[in-house]
Amino acid sequence: MSNLVEGKNIVIMGVASERSIAWGVTTSLHKAGANLIFTYRQERSYGKLTKLLDKHNIEAKLIIPCDVASDESITNAFNSIKEKIGVIHGVVHSVAFANREELKGEYANTSREGFLLAHEISAFSLVAVTKAAKELMTEGGSIVTQTYLGSERVIQNYNIMGVAKASLEASVRYLAEDMGKYGIRVNAVSAGPIRTLSAKGVSGFNEKLGVIEKKAPLRRNVDQDQVGDATLFFMSELSRGVTGEVLHVDSGYHIIG
Ligand code: NDP
């Protein structure tokens, strides 16, 4: 796997800590030879990211802010990438948000504002980022987002985020059709539950981990590295015939009734 994405310029959005799925993706892509560009939202995440990069001896080609709630911020981020890097070959979208108080209890209690916010940050952002990234993907490319089974099935407490993930996965398919003619593929990885900062916001998260250990075919939980390697597959030529796909990296849990 050492040169699967050698020399490719890949943008990673969503490292907030060592536990972030985007950090697992970072280590996989780094080992496979990619040039990495990072975006972050909060200053705190910037601090964590730079420390992690130092600790693991990974050199970032560029680190820039990008708040996907703002069109201007997305435009500025991709303009900076264009100016300082030029052509890009991949984007890893690993970003989501919903109000914590709506990640428990009944979905029926979701507020209008909370519904719109979850969709804006967790689904529309992929659309806006794809549009901006396309301009820099003049040699073709690959865009990968991170989703979860709560889009397909009712998973207790996941609520509005499940509905936003359904929108995200449908967006993957529509964007795959749009982007295909430019040689750009769009796919999603649907990871099993992994303990991260965002996961902590979902009520009863620890119970989900226990269910996987008991019921999933592989009888164990997945980790960030496994999601990272699946994302690497989508970033590399190994997946050149695949677009519009949602690949489950969940120890097979989704096949169990
Ligand atoms: P993290 O909390 O580590 O990462 C979430 C990231 O989203 C953070 O880097 C955060 O940045 C970013 N983010 C939130 N709002 C915005 C915004 N407005 N603009 C830009 N970035 C923003 O959690 P995960 O690694 O778990 O989450 C990454 C993705 O993986 C999400 O899409 C999540 O739904 C998905 N996923 C997670 C699973 C899990 O069990 N953990 C399972 C399946 C999918 P900042 O902190 O700087 O605000």
Side-chain angles (χ1 to χ4, degrees):
M1 290 206 290
S2 66
N3 56 2
L4 274 178
V5 286
E6 191 74 52
K8 289 198 184 191
N9 297 329
I10 300 178
V11 180
I12 300 184
M13 311 179 75
V15 178
S17 80
E18 193 157 19
R19 288 176 182 263
S20 291
I21 285 179
W23 182 251
V25 173
T26 299
T27 56
S28 291
L29 294 180
H30 171 68
K31 279 187 222 145
N35 300 321
L36 300 176
I37 299 142
F38 295 89
T39 73
Y40 65 93
R41 176 176 64 149
Q42 301 184 72
E43 283 303 318
R44 195 190 58 169
S45 301
Y46 175 76
K48 287 256 166 89
L49 173 63
T50 50
K51 277 204 190 107
L52 278 171
L53 291 169
D54 266 4
K55 184 174 152 194
H56 293 262
N57 235 336
I58 298 175
E59 188 205 339
K61 290 287 167 202
L62 185 66
I63 307 179
I64 43 169
C66 182
D67 182 345
V68 298
S70 151
D71 286 337
E72 195 191 350
S73 178
I74 296 173
T75 303
N76 289 344
F78 281 87
N79 279 345
S80 296
I81 297 170
K82 187 174 184 179
E83 214 173 89
K84 298 189 177 121
I85 305 289
V87 175
I88 60 168
H89 306 95
V91 175
V92 178
H93 173 276
S94 188
V95 164
F97 189 81
N99 287 328
R100 206 181 175 122
E101 61 273 18
E102 297 187 328
L103 296 172
K104 61 181 175 203
E106 293 189 5
Y107 172 61
N109 290 329
T110 306
S111 65
R112 182 186 300 270
E113 191 190 278
F115 184 98
L116 294 173
L117 177 68
H119 281 77
E120 180 186 19
I121 307 302
S122 317
F124 175 72
S125 62
L126 180 71
V127 183
V129 163
T130 297
K131 190 172 180 205
K134 172 193 167 262
E135 300 306 319
L136 281 65
M137 288 184 160
T138 50
E139 298 171 4
S142 171
I143 297 173
V144 178
T145 189
Q146 304 295 334
T147 188
Y148 178 61
L149 187 64
S151 61
E152 302 166 53
R153 296 201 214 152
V154 173
I155 297 192
Q156 214 181 8
N157 299 318
Y158 202 61
N159 296 357
I160 180 55
M161 191 53 89
V163 177
K165 290 297 191 194
S167 166
L168 177 71
E169 290 174 24
S171 293
V172 164
R173 292 184 282 273
Y174 279 90
L175 291 170
E177 160 56 15
D178 285 349
M179 294 298 120
K181 53 187 171 296
Y182 308 114
I184 300 169
R185 298 180 291 108
V186 186
N187 292 288
V189 171
S190 183
I194 298 176
R195 216 187 296 269
T196 64
L197 289 173
S198 291
K200 274 196 206 152
V202 183
S203 201
F205 179 80
N206 288 343
E207 290 150 34
K208 290 186 183 29
L209 296 173
V211 172
I212 303 288
E213 279 177 6
K214 237 192 263 153
K215 289 200 178 166
L218 295 178
R219 306 289 195 282
R220 56 173 165 78
N221 280 289
V222 297
D223 63 19
Q224 291 84 341
D225 291 347
Q226 290 161 38
V227 179
D229 285 351
T231 304
L232 166 61
F233 162 72
F234 277 136
M235 282 294 148
S236 79
E237 288 303 299
L238 292 180
S239 62
R240 63 196 175 280
V242 186
T243 194
E245 186 66 289
V246 177
L247 175 66
H248 294 82
V249 179
D250 65 347
S251 299
Y253 179 68
H254 69 287
I255 65 168
I256 300 298

